[in-house]
Amino acid sequence: MISKQLLLQAKEIENSEELHYIDESHNYRYERKFTVPNEFSLKSVEQYIKRNKALFREVFHLRQVNNIYFDTAAYNDYFDNVLGVSDRKKIRIRWYGDTIGHIKKPVLEVKIKKGIVGDKWSYKLEPFVLDNNFDNTTIQSVFKNSKLPLPILESVKMVTPTLLNSYSRRYFMSADNKFRVTLDFKLLYHKIDKRFNNFNFAPVSDENKIVELKYGLLDDDKSSAISTQFPFRLNKNSKYVNGINTIKRFPQ
């Protein structure tokens, strides 16, 4: 029997993943990422998470996460990340379930990075179809019809699709409900273009597993006691950068 508390926590996770609107005070948080070496099985990673002294337990069902990332023609957001620019952004559309086909509940997300903390602004979008007829005109029409705030609408006019990816995600919560861990695996990268697309080609797989530790600004002093119990390397990891590096070659 699932407790009422766990059901409420699962609902909070679902809302935070899909509809986290910015307010005047901002919603900055830490996201510490760990790349898991291939020799660790999925089961062993789960055991390390659950055996942590923070007493993590799984609180939400397994989901497939899908993203379309956007960037400028010069890939400004990609290079800002690679070069370690402290104040940067990332624009994507996120949804859950099947990658290709009718996308019923897409959400536009603008991720803001300020030094080592980040924020996320989220906006519901109109449904659309992702198939071989998809192009930038299609998605710009979706943006226009989705009642986005004018500054956001103007910003997405300046970018085009550059990467489609998907992965499986599991969710864990600490006993004090202040720390959340996500475990991502089965990463896939698809090429996507602003004009011509063919999603019949097989995506490129990434064998890496990514663990993320997420928590609020006031709990940073407790985070090291949690992260040091993981036998994984804390590092700067971006699925967007990894995906672009996998499917695209820039001139030298």
Side-chain angles (χ1 to χ4, degrees):
M1 178 69 75
I2 301 176
S3 70
K4 183 177 180 181
Q5 182 183 18
L6 283 181
L7 288 173
L8 289 173
Q9 289 168 352
K11 188 64 177 177
E12 288 175 1
I13 288 174
E14 184 171 18
N15 289 338
S16 70
E17 285 285 312
E18 295 187 3
L19 293 174
H20 177 184
Y21 293 100
I22 191 169
D23 59 31
E24 292 181 356
S25 63
H26 296 284
N27 299 287
Y28 290 118
R29 67 176 181 178
Y30 289 95
E31 294 185 358
R32 307 293 194 185
K33 299 183 181 182
F34 305 81
T35 299
V36 180
N38 290 338
E39 58 263 28
F40 288 89
S41 69
L42 194 63
K43 184 66 176 178
S44 66
V45 176
E46 176 189 354
Q47 290 174 345
Y48 276 113
I49 294 171
K50 289 185 174 181
R51 290 173 182 172
N52 192 286
K53 292 181 180 179
L55 301 177
F56 287 100
R57 73 251 184 235
E58 197 156 7
V59 291
F60 199 63
H61 61 82
L62 172 71
R63 293 201 287 191
Q64 177 168 301
V65 183
N66 309 282
N67 304 282
I68 297 175
Y69 290 91
F70 295 78
D71 212 330
T72 65
Y75 283 78
N76 289 350
D77 293 344
Y78 165 86
F79 284 109
D80 281 351
N81 193 307
V82 170
L83 296 173
V85 175
S86 60
D87 292 356
R88 60 183 187 268
K89 73 178 188 311
K90 184 165 53 185
I91 299 174
R92 70 188 180 202
I93 296 174
R94 170 164 290 186
W95 68 96
Y96 301 92
D98 293 338
T99 304
I100 306 299
H102 183 60
I103 313 305
K104 296 179 181 178
K105 294 182 178 181
V107 175
L108 174 66
E109 297 183 344
V110 181
K111 294 202 71 176
I112 304 296
K113 195 78 170 179
K114 294 284 187 181
I116 59 174
V117 298
D119 195 3
K120 182 171 70 176
W121 313 342
S122 303
Y123 308 91
K124 286 183 179 178
L125 295 176
E126 292 291 312
F128 64 90
V129 175
L130 183 62
D131 60 15
N132 291 345
N133 296 315
F134 177 90
D135 58 16
N136 193 52
T137 301
T138 303
I139 204 61
Q140 290 296 331
S141 178
V142 171
F143 291 149
K144 185 177 180 181
N145 295 328
S146 295
K147 300 179 181 179
L148 296 174
L150 185 58
I152 299 298
L153 182 59
E154 290 300 315
S155 68
V156 295
K157 288 180 180 178
M158 309 299 292
V159 295
T160 59
T162 52
L163 176 71
L164 168 64
N165 79 348
S166 66
Y167 46 89
S168 296
R169 168 167 284 186
R170 296 176 64 182
Y171 303 80
F172 303 85
M173 185 75 75
S174 63
D176 62 5
N177 299 324
K178 293 182 178 181
F179 295 86
R180 182 153 63 97
V181 166
T182 56
L183 170 57
D184 298 337
F185 55 100
K186 293 184 179 178
L187 282 75
L188 297 174
Y189 303 121
H190 305 252
K191 290 185 177 181
I192 191 168
D193 189 75
K194 62 182 179 181
R195 292 192 184 93
F196 306 107
N197 286 292
N198 187 345
F199 298 117
N200 297 324
F201 290 115
V204 180
S205 62
D206 183 344
E207 298 302 320
N208 282 318
K209 293 176 277 292
I210 308 297
V211 170
E212 292 187 42
L213 176 65
K214 307 175 184 184
Y215 56 93
L217 300 185
L218 298 179
D219 299 308
D220 190 40
D221 59 335
K222 306 172 187 175
S223 65
S224 61
I226 294 174
S227 61
T228 54
Q229 295 178 57
F230 295 144
F232 320 127
R233 181 165 51 90
L234 179 66
N235 65 359
K236 175 185 172 184
N237 189 296
S238 167
K239 297 184 187 73
Y240 176 54
V241 169
N242 293 344
I244 292 297
N245 289 342
T246 299
I247 68 171
K248 185 174 177 60
R249 295 293 179 267
F250 291 101
Q252 296 297 320

